[in-house]
Amino acid sequence: GACCSYRLRDALHPLWQSPLAIPGGTRQSPINIQWRDSVYDPFLKPLKIAYDPTTCLHIWNNGYSFLVEFDDSTDRSIIVGGPLKNQYRLKQFHFHWGAINDWGSEHTVDCKFYPAELHLVHWNAVEYPSFEEAVMEGNGLAVIGVFLKLGARHKGLQTLVDALPAVRHKDTVIEFDDFDPSCLIPSCPDYWTYAGSLTTPPLTESVTWIIKKKPIEVDEDQLEAFRTLLFTSDGEEERRMVDNFRPLQPLMNRTVRSSFR
Ligand SMILES: NS(=O)(=O)c1ccc2oc(NC(=O)c3ccccc3)nc2c1
Ligand SMILES: [Zn+2]
């Protein structure tokens, strides 16, 4: 493959005892985005993002990452347009990161890792009654991926970082309200999009991925704050929450489209 031997790394990857391949898996994520192989699609619309900060509920450490969850009982926080035929409701957002700045993202661009990657997870509430139903359907989910790169301190991220000590251990949760995650999304409209899957169990092939071309900048202290979280519960032997990203998966019979020339 372009950057690495997928299967073996996936099968051996400590974090996910995933089978060598998902039975019949033809659209697994993450993937390497080879810029020159992506195909400009002039019919792709701009992505419209409309989040209501009052739908923000809480932050919790689920033992894989830390998630900020939203009230998805109405259409108050949605995305529409882009490659999507329906509007999708925001369910949660979370991050993936490395032990050091040389790696951490799930997707790569021309085989380059970023130190972290943000995922904003949405579900198709037009066609399905719940997230749990949508997660089983090919067009059930839409995840916006945003790369984080080392640079200037990110003011919007800092409110999140300040809350992390309270969710250091697995299965801890704190109330978190009035946060608008659109402050974490670059204003540049350019994105790549492809048909993929969840990158942690259940690994279902239900995700339309929308990967922003431009990264956001965060500083070293903010990345280090992510690395103070733990995979383990209070009282267990501490294991630092780092390298919570899945190995690259084969592109197989897929094309990555770009919204930009
Ligand atoms: N790295 S990923 O591909 O974005 C990814 C991977 C696996 C995921 O499982 C869930 N489940 C919920 O959010 C959920 C939240 C509340 C209730 C039920 C499910 N979201 C995921 C996103
Ligand atoms: Zn993720």
Side-chain angles (χ1 to χ4, degrees):
C3 335
C4 54
S5 59
Y6 314 106
R7 294 286 202 235
L8 196 57
R9 285 183 53 177
D10 201 0
L12 302 178
H13 199 268
L15 204 50
W16 292 296
Q17 306 312 320
S18 57
L20 196 59
I22 301 304
T26 59
R27 53 175 278 193
Q28 287 293 295
S29 294
I31 59 168
N32 173 55
I33 296 167
Q34 203 63 34
W35 195 313
R36 67 175 180 282
D37 295 344
S38 61
V39 178
Y40 169 60
D41 179 349
F43 297 103
L44 282 173
K45 299 188 184 69
L47 187 63
K48 289 206 192 70
I49 297 166
Y51 295 149
D52 174 348
T54 65
T55 56
C56 190
L57 294 172
H58 48 250
I59 304 182
W60 66 294
N61 175 335
N62 72 346
Y64 281 117
S65 179
F66 66 95
L67 313 186
V68 180
E69 283 214 279
F70 289 78
D71 169 6
D72 60 348
S73 59
T74 72
D75 281 332
R76 283 181 295 162
S77 288
I78 54 138
I79 58 172
V80 67
L84 305 171
K85 291 182 174 48
N86 297 125
Q87 75 176 22
Y88 287 65
R89 270 185 208 166
L90 178 63
K91 176 79 184 166
Q92 52 102 329
F93 71 82
H94 62 274
F95 298 81
H96 303 262
W97 61 91
I100 60 171
N101 298 336
D102 296 347
W103 59 73
S105 59
E106 295 218 292
H107 292 86
T108 54
V109 179
D110 296 344
C111 298
K112 169 195 156 79
F113 282 94
Y114 285 89
E117 185 173 331
L118 160 64
H119 290 158
L120 297 125
V121 183
H122 310 75
W123 58 282
N124 182 343
V126 172
E127 295 193 15
Y128 308 111
S130 71
F131 180 93
E132 288 77 1
E133 301 265 326
V135 82
M136 308 307 290
E137 304 292 334
N139 67 340
L141 303 183
V143 182
I144 299 175
V146 179
F147 294 118
L148 277 62
K149 76 176 238 191
L150 191 60
R153 186 170 174 281
H154 194 291
K155 282 198 176 46
L157 186 72
Q158 196 54 37
T159 38
L160 263 182
V161 164
D162 291 340
L164 294 186
V167 289
R168 186 159 181 262
H169 291 101
K170 180 183 177 199
D171 295 332
T172 50
V173 60
I174 55 155
E175 195 188 315
F176 191 68
D177 45 30
D178 200 30
F179 184 79
D180 178 353
S182 44
C183 75
L184 300 173
I185 302 173
S187 52
C188 173
D190 296 346
Y191 62 84
W192 290 284
T193 183
Y194 77 96
S197 74
L198 296 179
T199 64
T200 65
L203 300 171
T204 44
E205 299 186 330
S206 53
V207 181
T208 299
W209 280 95
I210 299 166
I211 308 286
K212 299 290 283 185
K213 180 186 83 176
K214 281 276 193 330
I216 58 171
E217 288 193 22
V218 300
D219 72 10
E220 180 63 37
D221 291 343
Q222 294 178 316
L223 284 170
E224 274 305 321
F226 286 13
R227 300 177 184 129
T228 64
L229 294 171
L230 300 174
F231 282 126
T232 41
S233 307
D234 199 354
E236 280 182 315
E237 187 189 349
E238 297 197 348
R239 277 185 303 115
R240 289 187 321 134
M241 185 181 274
V242 292
D243 297 335
N244 56 353
F245 59 92
R246 188 188 191 194
L248 291 170
Q249 302 297 307
L251 184 61
M252 301 184 96
N253 181 28
R254 289 180 283 182
T255 301
V256 177
R257 290 181 288 160
S258 66
S259 71
F260 58 94
R261 276 192 180 287

